[in-house]
Amino acid sequence: MALDEIKIGGLGASRRRVEDNRFIRGKGNYVDDIVLPGMLHMELLRSPLAHARIKSIDVSKAYEIPGVRLVLTGEMMAARNLAWMPTLSYDTQAVLATDKVRFQGQEVAAVIADDPYIAKDACQAIVVEYEQLPAIVNPFQAMESDSVVIRDDKENQPGNKIFDWEIGDKAATDKAFAEADVVSKMELHYPRSHPSPMETCGSIADFNRATGKLTVYMTSQAPHIVRAAVAMVAELPEHMIRIVSPDLGGGFGNKVPIYPGYVVAILASILTEVPVKWIEDKTGNLISTGFGRDVYLQGEMALRKDGKMLGMRMKTISDHGAFYADAQPSKFKIGLMHSAFAAYDLPAAHLESVGYYTNKAPGGVAYRCSFRVTEAMFFQERMVHAAANDLGMDQAEFRRMNLVKDDMFPYRTAFGFLTDSGQYGKCLDIGMKAIGYDTYKAEQAEARSRGKLLGIGISTMTEPLGAGNSREYDILGIKMFDSAELRVHMTGKAILRTGAMNQGQGHQTTWAQIVAHELGIPADDVTVEEGDTDTAPFGMGTYASRSTPVAGAAVAMVARKIRAKARKIAAHLLEVSEEDIEWELGRFYVRSNKERGVTIQDCALAAYSNMPDGMEPGLENNAYYDPPNLTWPFAAYFVKVEVDAETGVWDVLKVVAVDDCGVRINPMIVEAQIMGGLTEAYAMASMQYQTYDDQGNMIGANYMDYLLPTAWETPGFELHEVVTPCPHHPIGAKGVGECATVAGPAAFVNAVVDALGHLGVRNIDMPMMPNRVYEALTTGKDISGMPPVMMGD
Amino acid sequence: MYPSRFGYEAPKTIDEAIAILDKYAGEAKVLSGGQSLIPVIKLRFAAPEMLVDINGIPGLDYNRVDPDGSIHIGALCRHEDLENNELMEKHAPTIAAAAPLVSDPIVRTRGTFVGSVCHADPQGDWAATMTAMGGHIVAQGPNGTREIAMNDFVIGPFQNTLAYNEIAIEAVIPAPKGVRVGSYLKLERRVGDFATASVAVSLEMNGETVIGAGIALASVGGRTIDATAAAQSLVGNKITPELIAEVAAAVAATAEPRTDHRGSSDYKRQIVKTFVTRILTGLATTSQKAA
């Protein structure tokens, strides 16, 4: 008898997260929980200035403090050729500053001491003499011809421009505009935000002089990439480097890059020959590590008067900070910005992108959708909202007319992506019904007559999740496939390792469910391990919603290899030929006699005790999976708000989210991912941003200024699902971890703009703080750019 | 948290605590709820030599109404103790309204009313509430106790007039002349954020007639703003829409907000005006119903 798949924790089971048992008991093992004998502690001294020449650094007072073992400066790093390191975008980044500091919070020196208190005291005792230079805090300043050159360390870098890139069909787009009845425009800024995981970055570097081996415990989302990079930067042989990522307290893209602190800690351990722990503080994390967004987007849409989209011109101006440290595939300078409008039947499009250096923290990798898809989709849905209004069309009907229809797949987008599946219209219908769209217009008019401002915002999108394929997607040239290795023990229990790296997604839980689905081994019988480069197979790590599409597929594929071998063993045990064997969940049986069968556990035992002649013993294998395409989940989000006309405060009345991410492995985990993403969307729409004053001082350097919503503000979410399986994924799953963060913000902004639509307001840039909404509703004008930072009267 | 090195004492009596403060001559800090002091030490904005933890001193965690109608709040009364508190709802409605708006629930379980007033943060809810209600602080030092009226107690941002060897042991709000009504409104971007603007209103009523009026503002100036003078046109009158409009405009004019990332100075004045209007309109309706 086949097993009940839900009972064994297979596909579709809302199995409780295995990880939670240790997390809620306080028994997680984070990097700061690890204590090694003789370990020293490191603290970084950071620059208080955004742009300044370093005239001198005097560390003598720091050495006077008892317990200080070593003080490292840029000069000492340079002597070992470690003052600069490569970024994930073929640029360089200072490890410890030598010539200049280029952003507030940049790493200037490091103290290694007996405890972190002493290290912090000693940092305060280091005297650095700076000669202040003008700070450039946005790309518009950076592009001015007389602007100071930030990267004067680089040859062939005359100004502050990093890249100039274009994609799409310019001629076809020009033609579309020539034929257009209506041209609608949109211009906005997606503010800088920070992923701010609960756990900051940190590491323990442990260099063992006797064995020559370097072990680094660190909070990395991509440990194998780190190993490769350390091998290149530190010039250590790769087999003598072991990177171990223990439990991660969140990542959201923040923990993909390699940060200066890691490199300094490694050198410190090599020099002191004892382990060196570096745990970043919260402010250090907020001011120096990978931020998200900070892109100015402009565009115009060519439309026929009946509402058909004809063409789209887009331009992006991005602010990368002092070092170009994005992590997008090398052929796409601004990531997958050109995934914009992928859900729409748009005949022609052209995108032009320019990136600049500024005196701000480097990054752009994060958050919760790197590759710039978040900015693309936000712009898309704000543009669509404006276009519908300019045409005098209903928001939902305009989308319905232009969304790709079910029978058009596979669909080649104007920018060249191939979308393969979806039921966009169905998702739209479910969302409209749930939010009460048919009575909304009357409700809004009635509310306005009472002085109340109601608004509904819609956001619909498909996004590319799950890089690769390896033809187009790489990091530093390393192709973006992923891997899984499965060992079935003789009693039928198993251990699975993948090249992905869990940071809250529940891999331990869901990977075991895929094994259960493929082999009928109960999920509880499968141990899942990730993060140790000495044991895990090579993989590109977890970000960009790629784990289920790529590593998850590898799990299914390795399980199928195991099943293929088990089938041979079953034939041997049942004394029939392999062709006469059938499979049902957990069991092989003889086709002619279903009662005669053996379980997968029987086969496992036989693999070690009774294998057929000539068969290699054991039951283990690995699989490297190179996906044929990205996966294309669809999201339709609806937000209803009421705006207080006297204060500009807006309250969320209802949020409806319809997600189609294909087959759901663990529906409970998927729902939690969507709710987390919607919370982040609400956060960015309402309060969460980082900005800089004209001196380059960061506003948002601590959690009093950088606001994360609490349970008190966060609205409730009503979730709905549609399932269109991914046609190329072994179990039909698509990425989902980032959908809500990506599609959510535009739904909130569209709702508030809709509430103010009758006043002539077209755009309010995020964050839509009450004062900005109030200004828009009292003046009827658009509110653009970052909130002003004026500390004087 | 890696603060600078500091000493720690946990005295069992107020006299012991005062003796330690006296010994350190300005280099010691009193620790009660710690919800402002600890973050400041953590960020190394302050590096006191000695922390004098008064949490172990018995008998300071009270809040009570005396037979004469005066309200007394001890130095270890937590914000949370004033939430859903029937005594406050009846005798100090402004406190009852402000209590659930103080920071977030975690802070409220630990932070103290008196500590917040002493911290003298221009954004502090309790300093504004005390000012509107005409309260005073009882300070104890080596030579006994003294009373300090709110306007003499908070003299600037993060500045109070306690001597280095004094401890604020109690906040007192005198008995009202008639029936005390009032409320508190605050605009913040998120629970626990520094507010954009806050308004405390406390009125004393005889039927529908106002016989005493106090209004104070937080977050819209370099210190707590006492707008009581601007509210005096209410006294001797019933609360009418015309009067509300007049007082709201007068109170808004006393605000000294700065333009910053929470909004322009005009916007913050608009919020003050809106909140004064909303509170007084609400109080007018309740007093009509009661009469």
Side-chain angles (χ1 to χ4, degrees):
Chain A
M1 265 255 302
L3 297 166
D4 178 333
E5 178 153 0
I6 298 299
K7 272 194 187 149
I8 64 163
L11 211 58
S14 281
R15 182 176 180 235
R16 286 197 181 173
R17 299 204 325 165
V18 177
E19 297 88 339
D20 291 347
N21 197 15
R22 65 178 188 274
F23 292 155
I24 61 179
R25 289 168 198 270
K27 298 289 185 188
N29 185 38
Y30 301 94
V31 68
D32 201 19
D33 294 324
I34 299 170
V35 175
L36 299 180
M39 183 172 80
L40 296 174
H41 297 263
M42 185 179 103
E43 176 70 23
L44 291 168
L45 175 69
R46 298 179 180 282
S47 167
L49 300 173
H51 199 189
R53 203 163 293 288
I54 296 175
K55 299 191 75 174
S56 65
I57 301 178
D58 179 359
V59 302
S60 55
K61 289 274 184 297
Y63 273 115
E64 287 171 16
I65 295 173
V68 172
R69 303 293 162 189
L70 179 67
V71 182
L72 286 168
T73 61
E75 207 176 303
M76 296 163 75
M77 300 299 288
R80 292 161 179 87
N81 203 21
L82 285 173
W84 293 81
M85 63 178 186
T87 70
L88 297 178
S89 293
Y90 296 98
D91 194 7
T92 49
Q93 174 171 359
V95 177
L96 293 178
T98 48
D99 52 340
K100 290 202 298 188
V101 289
R102 293 175 170 84
F103 70 94
Q104 185 184 53
Q106 188 179 332
E107 301 78 1
V108 174
V111 174
I112 293 88
D114 290 351
D115 71 41
Y117 298 89
I118 296 169
K120 207 138 192 154
D121 289 345
C123 277
Q124 289 183 313
I126 297 172
V127 181
V128 185
E129 197 187 342
Y130 294 104
E131 177 193 332
Q132 195 163 358
L133 298 166
I136 291 173
V137 296
N138 64 52
F140 304 102
Q141 292 174 346
M143 68 178 71
E144 280 167 19
S145 57
D146 59 345
S147 135
V148 60
V149 177
I150 297 167
R151 295 299 302 276
D152 51 358
D153 59 293
K154 294 178 77 174
E155 283 172 27
N156 308 319
Q157 180 66 44
N160 293 314
K161 188 192 277 184
I162 306 170
F163 62 80
D164 208 328
W165 187 68
E166 65 175 320
I167 193 166
D169 187 335
K170 193 164 189 303
T173 307
D174 288 345
K175 188 162 168 282
F177 275 84
E179 290 164 3
D181 299 319
V182 176
V183 173
S184 186
K185 292 177 193 293
M186 177 50 62
E187 194 172 334
L188 56 83
H189 178 229
Y190 203 134
R192 181 177 275 236
S193 58
H194 193 278
S196 58
M198 195 183 291
E199 179 201 34
T200 61
C201 296
S203 65
I204 305 170
D206 180 14
F207 179 70
N208 186 324
R209 178 71 65 198
T211 62
K213 184 141 189 172
L214 172 69
T215 304
V216 187
Y217 302 87
M218 70 190 296
T219 60
S220 175
Q221 293 174 229
H224 284 96
I225 303 301
V226 174
R227 185 180 67 185
V230 170
M232 290 187 274
V233 175
E235 292 177 357
L236 291 168
E238 194 172 358
H239 69 295
M240 296 306 265
I241 303 167
R242 177 182 171 209
I243 308 295
V244 183
S245 277
D247 285 328
L248 294 196
F252 309 101
N254 189 235
K255 295 171 179 172
V256 175
I258 293 160
Y259 293 114
Y262 298 145
V263 179
V264 181
I266 288 170
L267 178 62
S269 179
I270 291 171
L271 293 176
T272 59
E273 301 191 13
V274 290
V276 173
K277 180 187 267 190
W278 167 64
I279 303 292
E280 191 177 57
D281 62 19
K282 290 283 187 188
T283 291
N285 182 251
L286 282 171
I287 66 176
S288 75
T289 63
F291 68 91
R293 336 299 184 217
D294 211 351
V295 181
Y296 295 82
L297 299 113
Q298 308 160 351
E300 51 185 359
M301 182 180 271
L303 296 145
R304 211 161 61 195
K305 60 176 178 287
D306 66 355
K308 179 77 189 75
M309 293 177 185
L310 300 176
M312 186 68 218
R313 279 193 192 116
M314 265 176 85
K315 180 169 184 185
T316 70
I317 302 168
S318 43
D319 180 335
H320 297 266
F323 310 103
Y324 180 38
D326 291 28
Q328 72 285 321
S330 33
K331 64 189 286 191
F332 303 125
K333 286 294 177 196
I334 188 71
L336 306 187
M337 190 69 86
H338 58 304
S339 62
F341 298 94
Y344 293 95
D345 179 21
L346 178 71
H350 184 255
L351 166 72
E352 208 188 317
S353 290
V354 206
Y356 287 93
Y357 290 118
T358 59
N359 291 118
K360 292 154 78 172
V365 181
Y367 97 83
R368 208 168 180 172
C369 197
S370 49
F371 298 175
R372 305 297 188 168
V373 176
T374 318
E375 293 93 322
M377 297 306 158
F378 180 72
F379 179 77
Q380 164 195 304
E381 286 307 297
R382 293 290 301 114
M383 179 76 248
V384 167
H385 182 96
N389 279 358
D390 289 346
L391 289 162
M393 279 184 78
D394 175 76
Q395 289 294 336
E397 285 320 302
F398 178 60
R399 284 175 169 81
R400 187 188 304 286
M401 173 190 267
N402 287 292
L403 284 169
V404 173
K405 310 288 181 294
D406 302 1
D407 59 5
M408 292 163 74
F409 294 109
Y411 178 85
R412 182 69 66 181
T413 76
F415 284 117
F417 289 101
L418 192 71
T419 59
D420 51 26
S421 58
Q423 302 174 68
Y424 302 170
K426 184 177 176 185
C427 294
L428 191 64
D429 286 338
I430 292 172
M432 286 169 72
K433 186 154 181 283
I435 200 86
Y437 200 79
D438 56 340
T439 56
Y440 162 64
K441 287 279 160 60
E443 195 188 341
Q444 186 188 41
E446 191 277 330
R448 274 180 191 164
S449 71
R450 289 183 291 112
K452 297 275 179 200
L453 303 173
L454 283 187
I456 281 186
I458 308 177
S459 178
T460 48
M461 64 112 212
T462 185
E463 62 162 324
L465 293 181
N469 59 75
S470 68
R471 294 182 309 282
E472 288 183 297
Y473 301 98
D474 68 286
I475 297 288
L476 288 178
I478 307 169
K479 302 291 192 182
M480 299 190 76
F481 49 81
D482 227 292
S483 60
E485 181 198 286
L486 182 60
R487 293 182 192 175
V488 182
H489 311 315
M490 68 175 76
T491 58
K493 316 290 181 189
I495 180 164
L496 174 81
R497 295 189 173 103
T498 87
M501 180 60 216
N502 181 59
Q503 64 220 243
Q505 293 86 349
H507 292 179
Q508 258 193 293
T509 309
T510 50
W511 292 165
Q513 291 184 244
I514 297 176
V515 173
H517 171 69
E518 295 291 341
L519 292 178
I521 295 175
D524 285 344
D525 290 353
V526 183
T527 296
V528 175
E529 260 187 27
E530 292 175 341
D532 183 339
T533 57
D534 267 8
T535 57
F538 184 90
M540 293 295 278
T542 292
Y543 42 85
S545 296
R546 65 186 300 277
S547 293
T548 291
V550 193
V555 173
M557 299 314 273
V558 73
R560 288 175 192 182
K561 288 185 181 177
I562 296 284
R563 198 168 72 202
K565 182 171 183 183
R567 175 186 291 271
K568 292 185 197 301
I569 297 170
H572 164 68
L573 294 175
L574 293 166
E575 296 175 332
V576 293
S577 76
E578 207 186 323
E579 292 72 45
D580 294 329
I581 294 282
E582 291 286 334
W583 166 256
E584 61 182 0
L585 190 63
R587 182 173 180 270
F588 294 100
Y589 60 89
V590 179
R591 186 176 300 121
S592 57
N593 180 2
K594 199 166 182 182
E595 296 301 306
R596 268 194 76 208
V598 287
T599 64
I600 187 76
Q601 289 81 5
D602 296 333
C603 297
L605 184 62
Y608 297 88
S609 62
N610 179 21
M611 54 277 189
D613 285 346
M615 180 185 273
E616 196 178 348
L619 193 58
E620 62 181 72
N621 217 320
N622 62 24
Y624 278 75
Y625 187 78
D626 184 3
N629 190 8
L630 296 151
T631 69
W632 295 90
F634 185 78
Y637 297 154
F638 292 73
V639 171
K640 187 174 180 182
V641 300
E642 181 174 334
V643 180
D644 180 340
E646 288 180 323
T647 60
V649 171
W650 49 280
D651 285 325
V652 179
L653 304 179
K654 193 168 187 177
V655 179
V656 170
V658 187
D659 280 277
D660 179 357
C661 58
V663 173
R664 297 185 177 197
I665 301 164
N666 182 319
M668 182 181 69
I669 287 181
V670 170
E671 285 168 13
Q673 289 280 323
I674 293 167
M675 286 193 266
L678 289 169
T679 304
E680 288 174 340
Y682 168 72
M684 287 182 285
S686 61
M687 63 181 81
Q688 190 174 309
Y689 71 103
Q690 288 185 319
T691 189
Y692 291 77
D693 70 8
D694 56 8
Q695 302 293 305
N697 297 305
M698 183 191 272
I699 312 302
N702 59 58
Y703 287 98
M704 285 312 297
D705 287 328
Y706 188 65
L707 302 180
L708 305 185
T710 70
W712 289 84
E713 295 83 24
T714 305
F717 308 119
E718 183 182 312
L719 307 186
H720 297 264
E721 85 172 82
V722 168
V723 176
T724 315
C726 174
H728 59 75
H729 188 276
I731 57 169
K734 302 177 180 181
V736 69
E738 297 164 330
C739 287
T741 313
V742 172
F748 287 98
V749 178
N750 286 347
V752 172
V753 171
D754 181 52
L756 272 48
H758 61 302
L759 303 168
V761 176
R762 279 174 70 85
N763 183 45
I764 302 174
D765 272 351
M766 298 189 293
M768 298 184 295
M769 294 193 303
N771 59 308
R772 288 154 68 88
V773 176
Y774 183 78
E775 190 183 338
L777 72 87
T778 47
T779 63
K781 291 193 178 126
D782 290 356
I783 306 298
S784 301
M786 292 297 264
V789 182
M790 285 176 283
M791 290 316 196
D793 288 309
Chain B
M1 167 173 160
Y2 299 108
S4 303
R5 187 170 289 271
F6 60 84
Y8 174 86
E9 293 277 2
K12 292 287 176 222
T13 67
I14 295 173
D15 287 342
E16 275 177 58
I18 290 168
I20 301 165
L21 290 175
D22 197 52
K23 181 179 158 199
Y24 280 87
E27 296 303 322
K29 274 277 181 194
V30 174
L31 173 69
S32 55
Q35 298 302 299
S36 298
L37 181 60
I38 301 288
V40 161
I41 292 174
K42 172 197 136 173
L43 293 167
R44 296 193 171 205
F45 292 158
E49 251 177 68
M50 174 60 67
L51 289 189
V52 186
D53 183 348
I54 62 167
N55 285 282
I57 300 177
L60 289 176
D61 58 352
Y62 57 88
N63 65 87
R64 62 164 201 269
V65 179
D66 277 0
D68 69 353
S70 59
I71 298 162
H72 300 260
I73 296 172
L76 289 177
C77 173
R78 316 283 163 179
H79 308 307
E80 181 194 51
D81 301 334
L82 303 168
E83 261 185 287
N84 301 316
N85 176 319
E86 281 177 29
L87 271 182
M88 293 302 139
E89 279 161 17
K90 184 157 178 231
H91 298 280
T94 311
I95 292 178
L101 302 181
V102 174
S103 192
D104 60 45
I106 302 161
V107 168
R108 291 202 292 275
T109 59
R110 196 74 198 150
T112 64
F113 181 100
V114 172
S116 163
V117 174
C118 290
H119 187 54
D121 188 327
Q123 333 243 359
D125 300 302
W126 292 133
T129 305
M130 283 282 282
T131 303
M133 298 182 79
H136 63 259
I137 290 290
V138 178
Q140 186 172 333
N143 304 319
T145 62
R146 63 178 178 129
E147 291 180 0
I148 313 170
M150 272 309 291
N151 282 332
D152 300 324
F153 184 71
V154 176
I155 52 162
F158 309 100
Q159 286 175 287
N160 65 44
T161 51
L162 286 174
Y164 67 82
N165 53 10
E166 281 183 315
I167 296 176
I169 55 163
E170 183 181 76
V172 180
I173 293 155
K177 293 193 284 280
V179 175
R180 187 181 270 132
V181 299
S183 195
Y184 191 85
L185 284 176
K186 139 162 143 178
L187 176 64
E188 51 187 0
R189 299 175 300 174
R190 187 206 63 185
V191 160
D193 182 26
F194 286 117
T196 305
S198 318
V199 175
V201 176
S202 180
L203 304 181
E204 292 167 25
M205 308 293 292
N206 180 7
E208 284 185 72
T209 306
V210 179
I211 55 172
I215 296 184
L217 313 176
S219 309
V220 288
R223 48 165 286 180
T224 306
I225 290 181
D226 183 359
T228 296
Q232 291 317 300
S233 53
L234 288 165
V235 176
N237 294 303
K238 288 184 181 178
I239 311 172
T240 61
E242 296 73 27
L243 205 46
I244 291 172
E246 181 194 323
V247 170
V251 171
T254 68
E256 300 161 8
R258 288 195 318 179
T259 293
D260 61 17
H261 51 292
R262 287 181 179 79
S264 68
S265 56
D266 286 347
Y267 173 73
K268 292 179 185 179
R269 276 204 191 85
Q270 159 68 16
I271 296 300
V272 169
K273 197 169 127 188
T274 301
F275 283 178
V276 172
T277 306
R278 286 182 181 178
I279 292 174
L280 290 178
T281 306
L283 296 179
T285 315
T286 345
S287 65
Q288 275 165 12
K289 275 188 197 151

